Amino acid sequence: MDIQKFQESMYSLIVETSTNLPKDVRRAVKSAKQRENAGTRSALSLTTITNNITMADDNVSPICQDTGLPTFKIKTPVGVNQLEIKEAIRNAIILATKGGKLRPNAVDSLSGENSGDNLGEGLPVMKFDQWEKDYIDVRLILKGGGCENKNIQYSLPMEIEGLGKAGRDLDGIRKCVLHSVYQAQGQGCSAGFIGVGIGGDRSSGYDLAKAQLFRSNEDVNPNEDLRKLEEYIMETANELGIGTMGFGGETTLLGCKIGVMHRIPASFFVSVAYNCWAFRRLGVKVSPETGEINEWLYQDGEKIDFALEAEKAAKEEVAAAIEAEVEAPREIILQAPITEEQIRELKVGDVVRINGRMYTGRDAIHKHLSENPAPIDLDGQIIYHCGPVMLKDEEGKWHVKAAGPTTSIREEPYQGDIMKRFGIRAVIGKGGMGPKTLEALSEHGGVYLNAIGGAAQYYADCIKSVEGVNFTEFGIPEAMWHLNVEGFTAVVTMDSHGNSLHKDVQQSSLEKLSQFKEPVFK
Ligand SMILES: O=C(O)C[C@H](O)C(=O)O
Ligand code: SF4
C-alpha cells in the first residue's frame, strides 16, 4: 500500500469529521428545528447551532472545540499491515492537531500534563478487525467529554428515579433508556443521540452502546422488538420537554439506536452512550493498493445547506413570531467591569450581549483559584468556562480557532466561593450549575449565563482579539485566556434572585418522566 497516500486519506477523514457534520445528522438537526416554535429559546439556540454548522464547514474549522477522544474502527482484508496503518493514523493526528483541526486533548491522567499532539498512552483509540472484503473500512468518531460524562449504565433489576421498579425484561430496558435521556438534561449539549447496548458485561456493554453510534441515524432496526423500542423512545423522550441545551422545548432526542448481545446469568446491564448534537462520526472505504479513499460513508442523500435554510427560515420566523405575538426576550448589553446593581437587574430568560473583556477558566483554573491568589484583578469581571482551540502565528500572536462553552457543573464545588472571593460578577458556561452556586449568586450578586454548547465557530467569531494568557503550563484548553469579544450572546439561566431555569426544567421533566411509569412492553 502507498502508506503516504493512506496517511493523507486519514488526514482527510479527521478534518472532515471535525469540521463537516454528516448528512444524516444534518437532517436530524433540521427536523428538530422544524418542530420548535419560532421565537422560543430553543428555536434561537437551534439557529445558532445551524449557523455554527455552516461556519465550521466554510472555515474548515472544528464544529466544536472539544474534538473528543478520537476513536477509529478499522476493518482490513487479510494481509494488510495493521502496524503501518497505526503509524499513519498517528501521523495524521499530529498534523491535524498542528493545523488546528483537533484540539490538543490528550492529558496524562496522573500528572495532568497535556501531550500537545493528541498522542498518549492508549490514544488515539484504534480498534482493528479483519474481514473477507477487499477494501479497508475506517470509521472515526470524535465524541467530546461533556456528552461522554452523561453516559450511564444500569444494572437490572433496579429502582429508577421517576419510573419505579425496572425488571429484567423489555419494559425494564425501556425505563433505563428513557431515564438516560432525562438524567442528561442539557449537559451533553442536547438535543442528543443515544446508542444503547443491552447485555454483555460492563465494558462490552458500553462497547456495544458505542457501536450503535456508527449506525446510520436513519436505518431501521432489523430486530422487531428493538425497532419498536427505538420508535417508542424517540417519541416519548421528546415529550420530556428538556429541549435544546436544556432550555425546554419540543426536541430532546435526535436519534436512538439499540443493540443487544448475550449476557451471563447474574448480570443484566443496559449501557447508554450519549452523543451531543455535534455528532461527529464519518467513515471511508480505502483501497488497500493505493491508500486512496474510494467512498465516503454516511453521506447518502440530501446535504442540508443550513445557509440556504436560514434565509428562508428567517423570513418565516419573523412572520410567525409577529402572528403568534411572541414577546421577544429582553436584550441587554453587558461590559466588564460590571456592578452589582447591573447584575441584580438581570432575570432568567434575558438575552445578554457581551462586549469587551472576558477570561476563560475551567477545571484546572478553578482548582487553582480555590487555593491561590488570582494572577489578575477579577473584580467585576466575567469568567468563561471554555477550553478553546488556539493557534500561534509566526509572530507569536494567538488566534482562536474554536471556542464554545464547556459543562459548568464540574466547577460547582468551587464556583460560588471563587466568585465571592474575587468579586467575579458573571460566569458563562453551559448546562447550568447547582444549589451552591445559585445561593452564591443571590448572596454576592452574580449571574450565570448559558452559551450555546458546541457553537464553537459562532463564538470564535465573536472573539476579536486575544490580549494575554496565564497558566499555559496547564495546557491550551486549561489556560486562562484574556479575550476581547463583541456581541457574544448568551441567556441568563440563573439569576441573583434565586431563579434557575435548570432547576425548573429538571423538575418539570421529572414530572413528565413519571407519566411513563406504567408498563408498555409486556
Ligand atoms: O471540553 C470542552 O471544551 C467541552 C466538553 O465537551 C463539554 O461538553 O463540557
Ligand atoms: S461542548 Fe457540547 S457539542 Fe462540544 S463536545 Fe461537549 S457535549 Fe459535544
Side-chain angles (χ1 to χ4, degrees), residues 356-360 375-378 390 400 463 465-471 479-485:
R357 178 58 59 86
M358 63 174 68
Y359 299 95
T360 66
I376 42 159
D377 182 8
L378 289 171
M390 306 291 290
V400 183
I463 300 169
S465 61
V466 183
E467 298 295 327
V469 59
N470 303 100
F471 304 118
M480 181 184 255
W481 298 96
H482 309 188
L483 307 175
N484 275 354
V485 305

Side-chain angles (χ1 to χ4, degrees), residues 64-66 144-147 188-189 276-278 280 405 430 453-454:
C64 174
Q65 76 289 338
D66 184 359
C147 58
C189 289
C276 46
W277 68 260
R280 290 152 288 169
K430 64 149 174 117

Side-chain angles (χ1 to χ4, degrees), residues 65-66 103 144-147 187 189 362 387 404-407 410 430:
Q65 76 289 338
D66 184 359
R103 183 174 73 183
C147 58
Q187 288 170 3
C189 289
R362 52 180 292 163
T406 190
T407 318
R410 297 193 307 269
K430 64 149 174 117

Side-chain angles (χ1 to χ4, degrees), residues 73 139-141 210-216 281 298:
K73 284 195 146 198
R139 303 195 185 209
L140 169 62
I141 186 164
K210 289 194 169 181
Q212 303 309 305
L213 296 175
F214 283 101
R215 282 169 53 191
S216 157
R281 64 99 175 81
Y298 309 106

Side-chain angles (χ1 to χ4, degrees), residues 293-310:
I293 295 173
N294 284 337
E295 193 183 324
W296 285 86
L297 302 165
Y298 309 106
Q299 298 293 37
D300 297 336
E302 189 195 0
K303 178 171 177 179
I304 309 291
D305 179 343
F306 285 112
L308 274 181
E309 295 288 319

